Amino acid sequence: MEISKTYAPSQVEDKWYRYWMDKGFFRSIPDEREPYTIVIPPPNVTGVLHMGHMLNNTIQDVLIRRARMLGFNACWVPGTDHASIATEAKVVAMLREKGIKKSDLSRDEFLKHAWEWKEKYGGIILEQLKKLGASCDWDRTRFTMEDDLSDAVISVFIDLYNKGHIYRGVRMVNWDPQGKTALSDEEVIHKEVNSRLYHVRYPVIDAALAEELKSSNSAWTIADDGWQVTVNGRTHNGDGFITIATVRPETILGDTGVCVHPDDPRYTHLRGMFAVIPMVNRPVPFIFDDYIDMEFGTGALKVTPAHDINDYNLGVKYGLEVIDTINDDGTMSAAARFYVGEDRFVVRKKIAKDLEASGHLVKAEDYRNKVGYSERTDAVIEPKLSMQWFLRMEQVSKPALDNVLNGNIQLIPEKFINTYRHWMENVRDWCISRQLWWGQRIPAWYSPDGTDFVVCKTETEAIRLFETKGKKFGTGQLRQDEDVLDTWFSSWLWPISVFDGFKDPDNKDIQYYYPTNDLVTAPEILFFWVARMIIAGYEYRGEKPFTNVYLTGIVRDKLGRKMSKSLGNSPDPLNLIANYGADGVRVGMLLSSPAGNDLLFDESLCEQGRNFANKVWNAFRLVQGWQVDGSLKQPAESAAAVAWFKERFLEQLQLLNDHYAKYRMSDALMCTYKLIWDDFCAWYLEIVKPAMGTGMDVQTHQATVGFFEELLKVLHPWMPFITEELYHHLGERSGSDCIIVSAWPKSGTFDTDLLGAFASAQETITQVRNLRKTRNIPFKDPLRLLRRSEQTIDSRFDAVIIKMANLESLESTDDKVAGALSFLVGKIECFLPVSGGIDVEAEKQRLLKELDYNKGFLKSVQAKLANQRFVENAKPEVVEVERRKQSDAEAKIRAIEEQLAALG
């Protein structure tokens, strides 16, 4: 079969992907085989392929393809997440472009637009994953808002509510003013930003004046040396102030207390006194609590219970009034009394000027602080009191912690266990309601006056439940909760719901595929998603949802910056595939991506991957170009090379399987890469390659083709397209005989002595080549090589040495060879007689340099062996290795010293 001169990925990739799909090679149904299952972390339905997806899904595909070859019933379930906040934002933006406001639509009308948007754009990312080579069972594609999965979400909500785990109440939440919804703590990204710290002074008054102010209007004058206030026609003067520092002066309008530490001597005189809130002239009490850090700022804290979680807790503790001064959209509310309807950040600047004009502002200074941002909209989060639904986490999360700590579920790498434990031991109740329309609507039904509610699926059930409470309502009188559930409240059920484990808990799929095997995901959603899936697994199946969690790193650019559109440093993955081929990009992504560590991506990595594909292609073309001659006898060097590579492959296969077992994916790739590039191409093929114009014997050719096929198999998970193409070029295949479903090579024992002998031959060849290079001896000039050793020299690879070093003879000698170039291979002295003799002084310098190195090496080994703790605590085989190093170094030193003595 003819093969093109160069590898053209575009002519191969679509062809084989269609073929695999047509043959149903990705399809999985339960059978007698052991399953191997991965559920994809469902990308947002709004998403398009980015570098993080590329890394994550390449790793998943490598694992699933190898499992398929190992004989497992491999099932990789794809799907997408409905992404409530992101999708609703996209739909609202689309409607805005058409001149339609969301507020002008009914819920059903909006959802009709949303579903139309989903059908048009929602499958883009899955189609892009096919370009990467993702071998998902596409017939199993799920969507978190499809009917069965939504029904599962609603059923779980009702079940947890009936168990007492879900409750409704007013709590301080993270409010996204742009998305107009509450967020969980995990959906808030804290960023360090440049701010302004405003020092504002509040007048201090006694209780009697405070009582007057509560019922009357007042006029204040603030001067440097004091204040004056007129109430009910009477003027009061004072010089007491307390200065408070804040980065959010717009919230001053909602202050209802000032807190200081009970042991702070600066403020002990303030017990029973009141502070007056600037502008609104509201008298508020001083409270004394050890929550305050006396060393921070002025040691005094303004308390705004409606807009800070810590302030809220203080307000509850001391019975402070709650004044909500910020609307859901981030504008000032009527309760603020000033700047009503203006944006909070516009007001921040305005109120600073007004406070300065009124004499309240002492100073403003630059300040670095952390601010919470919405993970979805990037809006600054507003802490806000809101009626929401919550899931109590303390009780349900216990199995999820225990089963990670006891190793039943493995986090890879293990460094994330402590992070996981810290979060799970300090877990907070999960705010699960969102003020959106796109999502699963909360199944709570309210009485007409809103004072009571029941939780169930339908209005009919709700009417019946109200009847059990002695309340009779008719159809259309009840109101369903307007909110939807947090997107994560659907995706936490993913490993169960994709197999319809809620719809039919005993169905064949869930019984066969659950628990799944491996989950590949990013560390940043370890708590968003992974921990919650584990919670759901134990709550609803009584067992773990997966055994191993492989946590990838973040893909960064070569400067270490996180990739983002705003920085312009994130390449388009599809352009990379077009330029370097899917196989080249897959290898490039994973060459330097150990679990849990960030990947510094450079496009040159994809170029390296493409070069590797070309290397494999050209190696095949070389083998294909050999003319097989049945009359030829197998040369000795070819027989030796075949014997060596057979053992080398088994040795490296064992190492490769060990890397896979320990999820050392980059190491597994590098092991495969070196086995092909170095061992097979650079050594094996060069040894067996016949001279120009001559043929190849049948034995060597058959062995070489067999080795190539085995190499294609271990390479296939990483480079699926080129390996399938070359597998079919290797020989005639039936329609179902494809590398994707071929058997992974069988491991076996290997001859370490033979491998050691070849390594010695390699070093001999390398040394001769280096001496040719440094002495300008052309490779075409054959040389004599003599070897001297006190031990028997292994001659199994002498024919290889003769060919690869271009020797006219390879002999043994009992004596040193005068006037010859020399070098050591282990304990064997090697001599190369050269015409015209040698430069004695140059040879002395070379040997002295080698002597210094070996003495330094010996010294470090002896220091290790002199360490009694090392000798007593290290494994015996490790100590033995060090002793062998010592013996070898001592032999080399003796040989070099003898060579120096011979040179005089």
Side-chain angles (χ1 to χ4, degrees):
M1 191 187 299
E2 284 298 315
I3 184 170
S4 63
K5 200 169 185 179
T6 56
Y7 176 52
S10 60
Q11 297 173 16
V12 168
E13 293 170 356
D14 288 345
K15 174 184 76 173
W16 284 116
Y17 201 88
R18 276 196 309 272
Y19 191 87
W20 294 329
M21 291 277 286
D22 291 344
K23 289 292 182 183
F25 289 143
F26 304 161
R27 186 81 179 101
S28 174
I29 57 173
D31 59 24
E32 71 286 348
R33 291 174 294 168
E34 184 180 345
Y36 174 84
T37 314
I38 295 178
V39 292
I40 200 170
N44 286 352
V45 74
T46 58
V48 292
L49 199 63
H50 60 60
M51 298 305 287
H53 293 133
M54 293 277 281
L55 173 63
N56 183 294
N57 286 282
T58 298
I59 292 170
Q60 290 178 80
D61 195 47
V62 168
L63 293 172
I64 208 79
R65 285 179 181 273
R66 179 170 177 268
R68 195 179 284 122
M69 297 174 76
L70 284 168
F72 291 97
N73 188 346
C75 180
W76 183 11
V77 182
T80 50
D81 187 285
H82 65 273
S84 292
I85 298 173
T87 303
E88 185 145 327
K90 291 270 189 185
V91 176
V92 168
M94 177 196 73
L95 292 172
R96 191 184 304 120
E97 289 176 3
K98 296 179 178 180
I100 303 170
K101 293 180 181 179
K102 178 187 172 184
S103 56
D104 292 338
L105 299 175
S106 69
R107 188 186 195 108
D108 287 342
E109 288 170 338
F110 177 83
L111 288 175
K112 184 173 182 290
H113 285 290
W115 278 107
E116 287 172 356
W117 185 94
K118 183 266 175 187
E119 293 306 317
K120 185 174 181 179
Y121 301 106
I124 290 175
I125 192 166
L126 298 184
E127 291 304 310
Q128 291 174 326
L129 285 176
K130 293 176 182 178
K131 290 290 185 184
L132 184 64
S135 57
C136 303
D137 183 349
W138 298 108
D139 292 339
R140 290 185 175 274
T141 302
R142 306 305 298 259
F143 175 53
T144 54
M145 248 178 79
E146 65 180 75
D147 289 346
D148 286 343
L149 272 64
S150 286
D151 191 63
V153 171
I154 299 305
S155 296
V156 165
F157 180 95
I158 294 168
D159 177 67
L160 291 172
Y161 176 80
N162 290 335
K163 288 175 178 175
H165 297 316
I166 285 178
Y167 64 93
R168 182 174 181 259
V170 175
R171 298 287 185 277
M172 181 68 66
V173 298
N174 303 298
W175 186 261
D176 179 345
Q178 186 172 323
K180 295 187 180 63
T181 182
L183 302 177
S184 68
D185 291 342
E186 295 75 40
E187 292 170 297
V188 178
I189 307 299
H190 292 277
K191 303 177 187 178
E192 196 166 86
V193 298
N194 292 318
S195 298
R196 295 283 284 171
L197 185 63
Y198 300 90
H199 294 255
V200 182
R201 56 183 185 164
Y202 294 23
V204 175
I205 62 175
D206 59 25
L209 183 52
E211 199 58 39
E212 276 192 70
L213 288 176
K214 287 178 184 178
S215 57
S216 306
N217 292 326
S218 58
W220 287 82
T221 302
I222 306 295
D224 290 343
D225 57 350
W227 50 262
Q228 184 180 86
V229 59
T230 301
V231 188
N232 295 326
R234 290 190 301 148
T235 299
H236 303 264
N237 294 286
D239 58 6
F241 289 98
I242 187 165
T243 300
I244 294 167
T246 180
V247 292
R248 303 185 66 205
E250 70 278 9
T251 63
I252 286 174
L253 304 173
D255 288 357
T256 58
V258 173
C259 187
V260 295
H261 197 284
D263 298 332
D264 194 329
R266 294 172 295 178
Y267 303 125
T268 52
H269 67 288
L270 295 178
R271 288 186 183 276
M273 303 289 279
F274 288 75
V276 179
I277 306 305
M279 300 184 68
V280 292
N281 301 331
R282 180 186 308 119
V284 300
F286 282 98
I287 58 175
F288 295 79
D289 195 284
D290 57 12
Y291 162 75
I292 298 298
D293 179 358
M294 289 188 286
E295 304 301 320
F296 181 77
T298 63
L301 174 77
K302 64 187 228 40
V303 183
T304 320
H307 298 292
D308 181 275
I309 182 60
N310 298 307
D311 291 13
Y312 173 73
N313 292 334
L314 285 170
V316 170
K317 187 174 180 179
Y318 294 99
L320 299 181
E321 184 182 1
V322 177
I323 303 175
D324 188 350
T325 59
I326 299 180
N327 292 318
D328 288 352
D329 62 357
T331 60
M332 305 305 290
S333 72
R337 293 167 49 188
F338 292 84
Y339 319 109
V340 175
E342 296 188 59
D343 182 78
R344 56 190 166 149
F345 296 119
V346 172
V347 171
R348 182 172 297 178
K349 293 177 180 178
K350 282 188 173 183
I351 197 172
K353 290 180 180 177
D354 291 343
L355 289 170
E356 184 176 19
S358 66
H360 289 92
L361 184 66
V362 178
K363 64 176 180 177
E365 57 190 352
D366 291 336
Y367 185 68
R368 291 281 290 175
N369 66 315
K370 285 193 172 181
V371 174
Y373 286 78
S374 167
E375 188 210 24
R376 299 298 185 194
T377 66
D378 204 38
V380 174
I381 290 300
E382 190 63 49
K384 188 173 174 63
L385 281 175
S386 181
M387 177 67 80
Q388 302 288 341
W389 291 88
F390 296 86
L391 172 59
R392 288 190 178 91
M393 294 291 283
E394 187 176 359
Q395 184 179 338
V396 296
S397 64
K398 191 175 185 307
L401 175 59
D402 294 343
N403 283 280
V404 168
L405 296 185
N406 66 20
N408 195 28
I409 297 170
Q410 299 281 333
L411 299 187
I412 302 159
E414 292 182 348
K415 69 179 184 180
F416 287 107
I417 292 175
N418 285 336
T419 311
Y420 180 89
R421 173 169 49 198
H422 175 76
W423 188 81
M424 294 296 282
E425 287 177 345
N426 296 278
V427 69
R428 294 181 180 179
D429 288 356
W430 175 10
C431 177
I432 57 174
S433 47
R434 297 291 181 269
Q435 288 62 56
L436 303 165
W437 282 350
W438 176 250
Q440 287 93 5
R441 192 170 179 180
I442 290 174
W445 303 82
Y446 297 89
S447 58
D449 61 4
T451 58
D452 197 6
F453 68 87
V454 294
V455 171
C456 57
K457 284 189 178 180
T458 65
E459 185 185 31
T460 302
E461 291 177 79
I463 290 170
R464 191 165 61 248
L465 284 174
F466 271 118
E467 285 176 356
T468 65
K469 294 183 171 189
K471 299 179 180 180
K472 194 169 182 65
F473 301 114
T475 302
Q477 286 187 278
L478 303 180
R479 177 181 61 84
Q480 187 178 353
D481 199 302
E482 292 291 324
D483 292 351
V484 298
L485 286 159
D486 179 11
T487 302
W488 297 107
F489 198 82
S490 58
S491 57
W492 78 317
L493 309 176
W494 187 247
I496 305 173
S497 61
V498 294
F499 298 116
D500 289 327
F502 293 99
K503 178 183 177 183
D504 182 2
D506 297 316
N507 79 77
K508 190 183 290 185
D509 277 4
I510 192 74
Q511 295 288 353
Y512 182 74
Y513 293 113
Y514 190 95
T516 67
N517 296 77
D518 296 327
L519 178 75
V520 181
T521 190
E524 53 261 40
I525 56 173
L526 181 58
F527 314 120
F528 277 138
W529 190 47
V530 178
R532 290 167 178 168
M533 282 191 289
I534 299 172
I535 292 169
Y538 284 103
E539 182 71 23
Y540 289 103
R541 298 297 301 180
E543 58 182 325
K544 60 189 176 185
F546 30 70
T547 299
N548 303 294
V549 181
Y550 181 99
L551 296 158
T552 66
I554 296 171
V555 183
R556 299 183 182 275
D557 66 16
K558 59 186 176 182
L559 299 177
R561 301 175 301 175
K562 190 172 181 179
M563 288 188 167
S564 69
K565 286 182 182 178
S566 60
L567 287 175
N569 63 347
S570 183
D572 182 340
L574 295 183
N575 286 342
L576 291 176
I577 289 173
N579 292 334
Y580 301 103
D583 291 335
V585 176
R586 287 164 67 110
V587 167
M589 288 287 292
L590 294 177
L591 274 172
S592 58
S593 180
N597 290 334
D598 291 351
L599 165 65
L600 297 181
F601 179 79
D602 189 334
E603 204 162 315
S604 63
L605 291 169
C606 294
E607 190 174 355
Q608 188 178 350
R610 181 182 62 188
N611 292 344
F612 184 43
N614 289 335
K615 184 75 172 179
V616 174
W617 188 262
N618 290 332
F620 176 77
R621 290 184 66 243
L622 176 69
V623 173
Q624 188 198 43
W626 290 337
Q627 297 300 312
V628 181
D629 187 341
S631 66
L632 291 176
K633 183 182 177 183
Q634 186 179 38
E637 67 272 13
S638 295
V642 168
W644 162 70
F645 194 78
K646 178 184 175 185
E647 303 303 315
R648 178 65 171 171
F649 182 83
L650 288 171
E651 176 199 43
Q652 292 303 296
L653 181 63
Q654 183 184 86
L655 178 61
L656 181 59
N657 287 337
D658 184 59
H659 286 323
Y660 274 115
K662 294 170 180 171
Y663 295 86
R664 295 194 295 247
M665 303 303 286
S666 286
D667 291 341
L669 173 57
M670 190 52 69
C671 179
T672 308
Y673 184 97
K674 289 181 176 179
L675 177 63
I676 294 171
W677 192 296
D678 296 343
D679 295 326
F680 186 70
C681 295
W683 282 99
Y684 176 81
L685 290 182
E686 289 302 312
I687 295 169
V688 303
K689 183 169 65 176
M692 186 76 71
T694 62
M696 170 166 277
D697 67 279
V698 174
Q699 283 177 280
T700 305
H701 186 265
Q702 287 179 342
T704 304
V705 171
F707 291 149
F708 205 100
E709 185 166 314
E710 295 295 275
L711 289 171
L712 288 177
K713 289 179 180 179
V714 296
L715 181 59
H716 176 74
W718 308 97
M719 305 183 87
F721 294 109
I722 191 173
T723 51
E724 192 70 83
E725 178 75 6
L726 293 178
Y727 183 78
H728 286 266
H729 277 295
L730 274 176
E732 291 298 320
R733 310 280 182 186
S734 67
S736 59
D737 183 4
C738 290
I739 199 167
I740 187 176
V741 288
S742 64
W744 185 257
K746 298 288 184 192
S747 56
T749 56
F750 47 88
D751 188 338
T752 53
D753 287 340
L754 184 143
L755 291 170
F758 186 81
S760 179
Q762 281 180 304
E763 188 176 349
T764 303
I765 294 162
T766 302
Q767 291 273 27
V768 173
R769 288 175 171 177
N770 288 342
L771 286 172
R772 282 182 180 276
K773 187 175 181 180
T774 57
R775 297 300 187 278
N776 293 316
I777 303 170
F779 185 77
K780 63 183 178 59
D781 296 347
L783 298 173
R784 287 175 63 218
L785 180 64
L786 297 94
R787 294 181 298 190
R788 175 176 176 262
S789 177
E790 296 174 1
Q791 300 170 343
T792 303
I793 297 174
D794 194 320
S795 61
R796 283 180 285 183
F797 295 101
D798 283 1
V800 173
I801 296 172
I802 290 169
K803 178 177 180 178
M804 300 297 283
N806 191 20
L807 303 178
E808 64 182 27
S809 65
L810 178 56
E811 309 161 32
S812 294
T813 179
D814 295 328
D815 304 308
K816 294 184 179 296
V817 180
L821 298 172
S822 62
F823 57 87
L824 284 169
V825 176
K827 296 179 181 180
I828 302 171
E829 291 181 81
C830 300
F831 303 94
L832 274 176
V834 292
S835 59
I838 62 170
D839 183 336
V840 174
E841 199 55 41
E843 187 66 8
K844 275 186 180 181
Q845 290 303 314
R846 185 183 71 79
L847 290 170
L848 284 169
K849 191 175 180 181
E850 195 172 340
L851 181 64
D852 284 345
Y853 169 79
N854 280 283
K855 283 183 174 179
F857 179 75
L858 176 62
K859 187 176 180 181
S860 67
V861 174
Q862 287 174 331
K864 191 178 282 188
L865 289 170
N867 184 336
Q868 201 63 31
R869 289 180 64 185
F870 168 75
V871 175
E872 289 174 357
N873 297 325
K875 294 180 180 179
E877 57 268 29
V878 174
V879 176
E880 184 56 35
V881 167
E882 295 302 314
R883 287 188 173 132
R884 281 203 302 273
K885 286 180 184 177
Q886 180 181 15
S887 174
D888 289 346
E890 288 169 344
K892 283 186 176 182
I893 289 168
R894 283 196 303 272
I896 294 169
E897 287 174 339
E898 288 175 9
Q899 290 173 27
L900 284 167
L903 289 172

